[in-house]
Structures are given as structure tokens and as C-alpha cells.
Amino acid sequence: MIEMDESKAAKIKFRVGMVILILVLGVIVGNFWSTVARQAELDRLDELQKEREEERNARTVIAVEQGSLLRSQILVDMDSSQLVRADVPREGIYNRGGVLVAGDVLEYGDIVKVYGTYAEADDGRIVYTEVTKMVRAGRARLETAQEYQEIVDQTDG
């Protein structure tokens, strides 16, 4: 009979030990997923902050032409009327829906938003050293394009 009591006691200890082990594992797993969720939220907030910063630094420009004999494309900032030099990214230009159009080019009167790193040159022009993204905002009416064309023509002398 004593053996039965000892085996019952051993079974009870085993079961209590298993319950405690399961509870400890539950706490560990809960903390792990809580930490993962917290880090994911921080990463999402960092990404959102980065996007806001890029949006703040982006410039809305219109494509017009520069030069008398050999015409070349130049961009004009639609807010400050400064001339902008920026190359179209190799991967292409994003359309208004956010879809990348590979190999897309700018045409006269195209309005795009330019994202990237830029500096102001000595002559007052904005020169992009790195264009990370271009997003097509639309096409300007002919009158609007001609207004910005006049700005470029006046700076050419």
C-alpha cells in the first residue's frame, strides 16, 4: 500500500511539475511575441517617419526644354521656380497609382515629384546627386508649361 501512495505522490509531483513547466513556457512565448510585436511596431513607425521625411524633401517639378540650338530637357521646381537637374532613375518612373513603369521617360509638360538627395549649386540651380524615386503627378496644360518655359528662357539669357 505504501508503494501506491508513493506512486500517487510521484504522479502528482510529475503533473504539478508539467503544469509549472507549461506555464513557464507560456510566459516565455508570450514575452517573445510581445517583444517581436513591439519591434515590428517600432520598425513600422521608423519607416513611416522616413517616408514623411522623404515626402517633405520631395520637389514637384515640370519638364520643359532649355537651349537655343540644341534643346535639352530641364526641370523647373513648381514652387520656387528654380531650375532642377535630375536624372530619371534606371528602374523608371512610378505612375500616379504607385506602379513602377520601367523605361519611362519624361516629356515636355510632364509634372513629377522627385525624391532623393540634392544640393543647391552656386548658380541657384538644384542638382540631385541621387534620385531615389520619381512619381508622375500628371501632365500640365500647355499654358502652364509655357509659363515655366519662359522662366527657363529668361535664365538662358
Side-chain angles (χ1 to χ4, degrees):
M1 264 241 203
I2 297 174
E3 290 179 26
M4 288 180 73
D5 289 336
E6 287 178 9
S7 69
K8 277 186 176 181
K11 287 180 182 179
I12 290 173
K13 286 180 183 178
F14 176 76
R15 289 180 182 156
V16 169
M18 290 304 286
V19 168
I20 291 172
L21 179 63
I22 290 171
L23 289 174
V24 168
L25 288 175
V27 168
I28 291 171
V29 168
N31 281 336
F32 172 76
W33 286 113
S34 174
T35 302
V36 168
R38 191 175 28 246
Q39 186 60 45
E41 181 66 16
L42 289 174
D43 290 347
R44 188 185 69 76
L45 290 174
D46 285 345
E47 187 66 30
L48 189 60
Q49 181 67 24
K50 185 178 172 185
E51 287 174 10
R52 286 182 184 155
E53 185 68 26
E54 285 178 349
E55 191 67 34
R56 242 190 327 272
N57 290 333
R59 293 186 173 261
T60 303
V61 298
I62 184 170
V64 292
E65 295 178 341
Q66 179 182 35
S68 310
L69 296 173
L70 295 173
R71 308 284 284 173
S72 62
Q73 189 174 70
I74 187 86
L75 305 172
V76 180
D77 187 307
M78 295 184 77
D79 295 326
S80 67
S81 298
Q82 289 177 292
L83 301 183
V84 177
R85 287 264 180 220
D87 296 327
V88 175
R90 273 188 211 159
E91 65 268 6
I93 301 172
Y94 289 85
N95 64 18
R96 284 182 250 179
V99 176
L100 181 64
V101 180
D104 201 2
V105 295
L106 294 177
E107 296 178 2
Y108 186 86
D110 281 348
I111 299 173
V112 292
K113 203 160 200 176
V114 182
Y115 298 84
T117 307
Y118 62 88
E120 194 166 329
D122 293 336
D123 61 359
R125 294 179 184 212
I126 297 168
V127 179
Y128 273 85
T129 54
E130 178 188 7
V131 176
T132 55
K133 180 169 76 171
M134 273 191 182
V135 179
R136 189 176 304 279
R139 198 150 172 80
R141 294 177 307 158
L142 184 59
E143 298 84 21
T144 305
Q146 288 174 343
E147 287 175 28
Y148 289 98
Q149 182 65 54
E150 288 174 13
I151 293 170
V152 172
D153 291 343
Q154 288 172 0
T155 58
D156 276 350

